[in-house]
Amino acid sequence: MTVSIPELPLLTLSDDELALVNMLRADMLRDRYDLLLRDAYFNGEQLIRDLGISIPPQLKGLHTVIGWPRVGVESLEERLDLEAFRWADGSDSSELTEIAEANDLFDESSLAHLDAFVYGREYLAVGSGGCGTDECPPLITAESPLDMTLMWDARLRMGTAALRECAADSFIDADPDQRMLVLYLPDQTVMAVPSASGGWEVVDRDMHNLGVVPVVRLANRQRTADRIGRSEITPEVMSVTDAACRRLMGMEVAAEFFGAPQRYILGASESAFQDADGTAKSAWETYIGRVLALERDEDGQVPAVGQFAAHDPTGMTKIIDLYARIMASQMSVAPHVLGYSSDNPASADAIRFADNRQVKKAERRIRRFGAGWQQAMRLALWIRDGEPPDKTRRIETVWRNPATPTLAAQVDATVKLVQAGVLPADSDVTLEMAGFTEPQRQRIAADRRRSSAAATGGSLLERLAAVNEQPRLPDAAEVTGGDDGL
């Protein structure tokens, strides 16, 4: 008789898992300084590198902030609005909408895109809902690269392992301030907390057996040799920001030194700067008092009073305008977005032309990020159903037009396409090109179905009523009887 012993999950990390955790933690800590530096520039908290020439020691604590990195990043992020998920074959996509709304993805997506632009990457972690029932929707969360990293296989174009280090979850009986590790592997997800012995104690192992790591990376500005991604806050952006902040600081120093015009007095007696008892007046009292009423000297001559030319900040403001134009080219935004204005305001066509590069950049990000959101949704369906979705059914992401054209221009172009027979008038594509959002298109489709049902039902009732009102034809017996009578 053979007795089989069930295989129990390990309560500690294996040697391979521990080596993988140490390697991923080292990778995450190595990039942490660069990520925090970009975050400081985005929040206006960076330290300005002073050249030590024009700023006196008394004003070393003066801090000037210019929010161009934040304005440029948010201007690009505001053009990316994820509206819906749908099946490419046009079938009912209510299951996709249910997963997206359960995870609040249409709001969370904006946070994920913003972090991807600031840090250069963002992660989407997919897992079971954890509510203990089969009807619980899968969980999709956006994770910051400050807390998460991914090991990437460039040949397979997929992750091989991922690690997230964060505060302990509420369902774990541990100190809320305690750190927790979540190790994502192709066959399982391991959660561990620090143990008293100095190692890691495993608190849960989710054996999903997907064969893939349930983590998706949204990378910004990828290259073939750099799949991790790069931030929109480039070294050029940081350099121009520092230079502009130094010019603002120089204007503050000039205001302190030259806020009041400097004057000079020639030929005044010493008594003009003394009190009645012979005590010397302070510089401020002398400036606002006695220098305005001076007596003649012994020869009857009036002291000569003059004023030096006041400081003109126009030179510095022109330099800041120059920096604004340079920053606009680096961030792909129109100069007026950064506060630069000229004597001749730009026309509407010129403003739209200035936005062309940012619109194109937004379209590229939509294509890149859209693939990541589609992959995350397929992983969610896989976890929910226990089997991979059919590869022949492709998921599409619906985005709002990043070009933000006027409603009149969209409707006019759509009407012309319908009139030319390129688009059917009742197509969902027609409504999308006209600028209607996904919820609006769904409401219009529901209204059309109700109108069609009402019209079909009314015509049927009318036909039935018409049939009842027609004269009754004689049957065969009546016809025969009539013949016998003849």
Side-chain angles (χ1 to χ4, degrees):
M1 179 177 179
T2 304
V3 179
S4 60
I5 301 176
E7 184 179 355
L8 298 178
L10 294 177
L11 299 180
T12 59
L13 296 176
S14 64
D15 293 340
D16 293 339
E17 292 172 345
L18 185 59
L20 192 58
V21 165
N22 293 333
M23 182 174 59
L24 291 173
R25 289 191 74 193
D27 179 73
M28 186 166 54
L29 294 176
R30 183 186 66 245
D31 297 337
R32 192 172 184 84
Y33 173 78
D34 290 336
L35 297 178
L36 292 176
L37 180 62
R38 266 68 181 181
D39 188 69
Y41 273 89
F42 179 79
N43 294 322
E45 299 173 349
Q46 78 279 9
L47 297 178
I48 306 302
R49 292 184 292 271
D50 180 25
L51 301 181
I53 299 175
S54 60
I55 307 300
Q58 293 80 2
L59 297 178
K60 289 293 186 181
L62 182 64
H63 183 61
T64 56
V65 178
I66 191 165
W68 287 344
R70 177 183 56 80
V71 173
V73 169
E74 288 184 346
S75 177
L76 178 60
E77 188 277 325
E78 288 168 357
R79 295 182 181 272
L80 273 63
D81 288 329
L82 180 62
E83 291 190 340
F85 295 90
R86 66 187 179 193
W87 295 106
D89 56 8
S91 58
D92 183 21
S93 59
S94 58
E95 57 180 345
L96 302 179
T97 304
E98 179 183 356
I99 295 176
E101 291 181 348
N103 291 277
D104 200 16
L105 292 186
F106 303 124
D107 288 335
E108 290 290 317
S109 61
S110 62
L111 304 181
H113 300 157
L114 184 61
D115 275 1
F117 290 149
V118 174
Y119 300 124
R121 55 191 178 275
E122 179 76 351
Y123 298 101
L124 303 177
V126 186
S128 57
C131 62
T133 61
D134 296 337
E135 298 179 356
C136 185
L139 184 63
I140 303 177
T141 58
E143 303 294 343
S144 170
L146 291 172
D147 303 325
M148 194 169 194
T149 187
L150 175 69
M151 182 181 295
W152 183 260
D153 190 328
R155 184 179 66 86
L156 298 177
R157 296 183 181 180
M158 61 183 298
T160 57
L163 179 70
R164 180 167 67 98
E165 185 175 359
C166 58
D169 291 342
S170 59
F171 68 88
I172 296 178
D173 186 13
D175 186 359
D177 297 331
Q178 190 178 23
R179 303 297 290 174
M180 178 183 69
L181 290 181
V182 182
L183 180 62
Y184 298 88
L185 299 173
D187 59 339
Q188 61 181 313
T189 299
V190 185
M191 286 178 285
V193 295
S195 62
S197 60
W200 295 96
E201 178 183 354
V202 176
V203 295
D204 186 33
R205 287 182 180 269
D206 182 12
M207 308 298 295
H208 51 72
N209 294 319
L210 297 178
V212 296
V213 177
V215 176
V216 180
R217 180 170 59 197
L218 301 180
N220 181 56
R221 296 176 59 231
Q222 283 185 329
R223 300 183 63 183
T224 54
D226 182 10
R227 296 291 181 175
I228 297 177
R230 285 290 179 263
S231 170
E232 292 293 324
I233 305 178
T234 60
E236 300 88 345
V237 170
M238 292 188 289
S239 176
V240 175
T241 302
D242 290 344
C245 287
R246 283 195 295 266
R247 294 287 71 77
L248 287 178
M249 188 180 297
M251 293 178 63
E252 292 288 343
V253 174
E256 292 291 334
F257 280 93
F258 306 108
Q262 290 182 320
R263 295 174 179 176
Y264 62 87
I265 302 174
L266 302 177
S269 63
E270 186 177 357
S271 62
F273 308 98
Q274 295 177 350
D275 289 330
D277 57 358
T279 304
K281 283 183 170 293
S282 65
W284 181 248
E285 291 176 337
T286 302
Y287 181 79
I288 65 174
R290 294 292 293 278
V291 296
L292 302 180
L294 299 175
E295 298 178 353
R296 296 177 181 272
D297 58 10
E298 297 177 353
D299 299 331
Q301 300 295 328
V302 178
V305 179
Q307 177 177 308
F308 292 104
H311 171 69
D312 186 8
T314 305
M316 288 192 177
T317 57
K318 289 183 178 179
I319 294 177
I320 294 177
D321 288 343
L322 172 63
Y323 289 151
R325 295 197 300 270
I326 297 175
M327 181 67 74
S329 66
Q330 294 293 332
M331 303 293 292
S332 302
V333 298
H336 70 271
V337 175
L338 301 179
Y340 172 77
S341 61
S342 60
D343 296 335
N344 297 323
S347 63
D349 292 337
I351 293 176
R352 284 193 293 269
F353 179 78
D355 288 337
N356 283 346
R357 188 181 174 202
Q358 190 178 53
V359 171
K360 185 60 180 178
K361 182 186 289 187
E363 291 174 348
R364 290 290 181 89
R365 301 304 185 273
I366 285 176
R367 184 170 62 183
R368 172 64 63 181
F369 292 167
W373 286 110
Q374 294 166 16
Q375 185 178 355
M377 188 60 69
R378 293 187 68 87
L379 285 173
L381 293 175
W382 193 343
I383 292 176
R384 186 198 65 176
D385 301 335
E387 57 183 8
D390 187 1
K391 293 184 178 181
T392 61
R393 300 189 67 191
R394 188 168 56 88
I395 299 176
E396 289 183 348
T397 51
V398 182
W399 302 78
R400 191 169 299 173
N401 188 354
T404 61
T406 61
L407 182 60
Q410 285 183 286
V411 173
D412 180 66
T414 306
V415 169
K416 290 180 179 178
L417 291 175
V418 173
Q419 291 176 347
V422 178
L423 292 176
D426 57 351
S427 173
D428 183 71
V429 178
T430 304
L431 298 177
E432 183 177 351
M433 292 190 63
F436 292 97
T437 62
E438 181 69 18
Q440 290 174 338
R441 296 198 298 271
Q442 293 177 357
R443 290 166 57 189
I444 292 174
D447 291 340
R448 284 177 175 173
R449 288 193 296 268
R450 285 193 295 267
S451 299
S452 177
T456 304
S459 60
L460 179 60
L461 291 176
E462 292 175 358
R463 290 196 300 269
L464 291 175
V467 170
N468 292 332
E469 291 176 358
Q470 288 179 356
R472 186 176 63 84
L473 297 177
D475 55 14
E478 292 176 343
V479 172
T480 304
D483 293 339
D484 294 339
L486 292 174

